[in-house]
Amino acid sequence: MDSRAEDNLVGAFAAGAAGTVDAGGATSTLHASRGATAWHGKRVHFAGIGGAGMSGLAAMLCDAGALVSGSELKPSETTLALARRGIRITYAQDGSALDAGIALYVRTAAVPDDNAEFRRALELSLPHLKYAQLLGRVMSDRFGVAVGGTHGKSTTTSMIAFALVDAGLDPSLVIGGTVPQLGGSSRSGSGRHFVVEACEYDRSFHQLHPRVVLLTNLEAEHLDVYRDLDDIREAFRTFARLVPLDGVVIGCGDDVNLGPLLRDLDRPTQTYGFDASSDWRIELLEVVRGSSHGRVTERATGESVLIRPSLPGRHNLLNAAGALAAARACGLSLASSADSISRFLGVDRRMTEMGRFNRAIVVDDYGHHPTEIRATLSALRARYQPSRLVCVFQPHQFSRTRILFDDFTRSFDDADVVIMPEIYGVRDSASDRAAVSSARLARALVDRGRAAEHVETFDSAVERLREMACEGDLIVTMGAGNVYMIAQNLIESEDRMEGSEVVERGGGLGSEVGSA
């Protein structure tokens, strides 16, 4: 397939096959469309298909009639669910799954150029795109809404999408997490709006075509890709400038790193925050079980609305205000958007209550950056008011742990006990792996007066929790890797004893969208 044919194929899909797509295996309702005709019978292979965004696009193409296959490093709930849809998945990225009949090869940013399967794709001269490139091309013919930022992307993107779905606008969406109220992590709708979580890793968000950009915050992160905070700020500036002159960039004016970027940007901008100068000003009214409720006023019109997020934490009131501004930019009324956002219940693995073990409440969370850890533990303590908060934190990436080591040591003040399994390594060099360890981080926490311990295996962590868990405890498993399995194990133990329901989670190579 030459590049023009490839562009035509991707462009045709941008018109979309309408329907709800759930990588968890739910039946989708599709309607005949130009997109379905264009993709029908075409073979598309996804390398790293288990990631949230990759699995979402794979499901969309499958429903549009493509013959989808994929590869991953290991099975997960996500890949097993895709297999139930008829998608063939292999767990050896050695190139054996490829042949010259594949029409398009799509890889996550976590698949490097020297990957054996990608090298085989080049040998076969297969047309190939990175995930973000395909996502951007699909977005190009839609009213694109892209949410970027170091923290809060998944939740804020989901709030916007839920408001659009609630309003009957039938948007398409790709989100970096499972959203039960939206039927999964992706959706292929017949409406003109396409809402996506925009990942900054590998500068992936530069491939998108948004009319509305929302920036939640900006911090030092992904320093295996970026030189420093200034380099990250420039990447976000480039992303924001993808918005056309008749679009809008919405950003949190309270964020010290976003403020200068928003002030200097040569695009229409709006700010939201608690500061009185914000275009969307938040007034905190009350805190109910840890959830911050407030009034949001649009400065341009003077119109105000009450918003009552169900999610705990002051940061989620900020997320809700940003989502409200973005929904307005999509043409929704403030009243309907505020009502929808207030009824939004959250994204999987974001302060998700899993169940109970020995009368202790068990919660799972995706937080893996020091700022996220602090905000999440504070919000959970305010919501549950436990007699003891036990955090099982699995660091994600040796490079992140090394670079942000000192900040990590200051992130667990709201935890009474910290249990730390081995680091979940992704994209790490040998030097990074040699430079830092969970045991060293746990010792640093002890030196700061925290009750912390390192465990070598998940089984050891589970055994330790079984020994200590009691009524009044809040047990939080936290991290972007597979630490959720510890929470699952605890709940399964309780399930065997009491018949409670087990909540399962999944993930994949690179966690695209966003590569954590």
Side-chain angles (χ1 to χ4, degrees):
M1 183 188 298
D2 61 26
S3 60
R4 182 164 55 184
E6 177 185 314
D7 286 343
N8 289 340
L9 186 62
V10 174
F13 176 64
T20 299
V21 178
D22 177 8
T27 301
S28 301
T29 303
L30 294 171
H31 309 290
S33 71
R34 182 167 61 96
T37 301
W39 285 102
H40 186 75
K42 303 293 184 183
R43 293 176 58 198
V44 183
H45 184 86
F46 287 80
I49 196 170
M54 289 283 281
S55 63
L57 277 183
M60 288 180 178
L61 264 65
C62 183
D63 286 326
L67 303 177
V68 176
S69 60
S71 62
E72 256 301 346
L73 297 181
K74 57 186 178 181
S76 68
E77 287 90 347
T78 300
T79 60
L80 295 175
L82 290 171
R84 288 194 294 271
R85 297 172 65 95
I87 294 175
R88 182 172 57 85
I89 300 175
T90 59
Y91 298 100
Q93 290 187 328
D94 56 6
S96 60
L98 305 185
D99 61 59
I102 290 175
L104 183 63
Y105 178 90
V106 185
R107 60 170 171 149
T108 172
V111 171
D113 290 347
D114 62 358
N115 175 272
E117 185 179 82
F118 179 58
R119 290 202 310 268
R120 179 58 178 160
L122 296 180
E123 290 172 2
L124 293 169
S125 300
L126 300 182
H128 57 89
L129 295 172
K130 284 190 175 181
Y131 159 81
Q133 292 174 306
L134 177 58
L135 185 66
R137 295 188 187 196
V138 171
M139 177 184 277
S140 63
D141 288 343
R142 303 285 188 93
F143 187 103
V145 181
V147 179
T150 309
H151 320 293
K153 294 188 293 291
S154 296
T155 296
T156 308
T157 307
S158 302
M159 286 176 170
I160 298 166
F162 185 65
L164 291 168
V165 171
D166 228 19
L169 296 182
D170 198 20
S172 298
L173 58 97
V174 176
I175 298 168
T178 299
V179 187
Q181 286 172 295
L182 295 173
S185 64
S186 64
R187 186 178 194 275
S188 183
S190 60
R192 69 190 186 108
H193 296 94
F194 195 176
V195 186
V196 303
E197 179 176 336
C199 180
E200 71 272 22
Y201 179 75
D202 196 36
R203 293 175 170 80
S204 294
F205 56 1
H206 290 173
Q207 303 295 330
L208 303 180
H209 298 277
R211 293 189 62 81
V212 176
V213 158
L214 192 156
L215 302 177
T216 57
N217 41 61
L218 195 157
E219 266 197 284
E221 171 66 312
H222 296 307
L223 294 174
D224 54 334
V225 174
Y226 295 101
R227 291 189 307 275
D228 51 28
L229 184 60
D230 287 338
D231 195 24
I232 296 169
R233 188 181 289 110
E234 280 308 304
F236 272 79
R237 189 188 309 277
T238 299
F239 170 52
R241 294 190 75 251
L242 297 174
V243 168
L245 292 176
D246 59 348
V248 64
V249 178
I250 301 164
C252 181
D254 293 355
D255 187 87
V256 64
N257 293 317
L258 274 182
L261 186 156
L262 294 168
R263 285 193 296 272
D264 298 341
L265 198 64
D266 57 347
R267 293 293 186 275
T269 60
Q270 296 177 11
T271 60
Y272 64 91
F274 293 94
D275 190 277
S277 65
S278 300
D279 297 303
W280 295 84
R281 182 171 57 84
I282 307 168
E283 177 188 359
L284 179 63
L285 299 179
E286 61 180 352
V287 178
V288 179
R289 292 192 65 241
S291 296
S292 297
H293 298 172
R295 181 183 302 278
V296 180
T297 302
E298 183 183 16
R299 186 171 64 173
T301 64
E303 188 177 352
S304 66
V305 66
L306 294 176
I307 195 159
R308 302 178 177 88
S310 66
L311 308 176
R314 185 176 183 270
H315 61 290
N316 275 316
L317 181 55
L318 278 168
N319 291 338
L324 187 72
R328 179 72 138 189
C330 292
L332 300 189
S333 72
L334 292 191
S336 67
S337 299
D339 177 67
S340 298
I341 292 168
S342 296
R343 287 186 290 105
F344 176 68
L345 299 178
V347 183
D348 224 10
R349 297 215 64 218
R350 274 66 174 180
M351 294 187 280
T352 301
E353 187 170 323
M354 303 279 286
R356 292 176 183 263
F357 174 76
N358 201 24
R359 298 187 179 180
I361 297 170
V362 181
V363 169
D364 180 56
D365 190 80
Y366 188 75
H368 52 279
H369 184 282
T371 299
E372 295 165 353
I373 296 166
R374 286 190 289 267
T376 299
L377 293 180
S378 175
L380 289 173
R381 182 169 285 283
R383 163 147 291 188
Y384 291 100
Q385 298 183 10
S387 57
R388 182 173 59 172
L389 195 159
V390 180
C391 179
V392 184
F393 176 66
Q394 180 190 40
H396 188 268
Q397 287 189 281
F398 288 83
S399 58
R400 178 186 287 115
T401 308
R402 176 182 61 80
I403 293 167
L404 301 178
F405 188 90
D406 290 342
D407 207 4
F408 275 116
T409 66
R410 298 187 292 268
S411 297
F412 295 91
D413 289 352
D414 272 304
D416 297 296
V417 178
V418 179
I419 298 173
M420 199 167 291
E422 297 291 347
I423 296 171
Y424 188 93
V426 180
R427 307 185 300 265
D428 289 300
S429 66
S431 60
D432 279 327
R433 290 175 180 271
V436 71
S437 66
S438 285
R440 181 185 164 203
L441 181 54
R443 286 195 299 271
L445 289 175
V446 171
D447 291 342
R448 292 193 75 251
R450 313 310 304 171
E453 59 185 281
H454 165 250
V455 294
E456 293 187 354
T457 66
F458 279 10
D459 286 345
S460 298
V462 169
E463 186 59 33
R464 188 74 181 91
L465 292 168
R466 285 175 176 160
E467 293 171 358
M468 69 167 62
C470 62
E471 186 172 6
D473 283 352
L474 175 63
I475 298 171
V476 183
T477 55
M478 182 178 288
N482 58 348
V483 69
Y484 63 88
M485 295 173 67
I486 293 175
Q488 280 186 0
N489 192 306
L490 287 176
I491 302 305
E492 286 170 356
S493 298
E494 196 80 353
D495 178 57
R496 286 191 291 270
M497 292 184 292
E498 299 182 5
S500 60
E501 182 178 356
V502 178
V503 182
E504 295 188 348
R505 304 289 175 260
L509 179 64
S511 299
E512 183 112 51
V513 182
S515 293

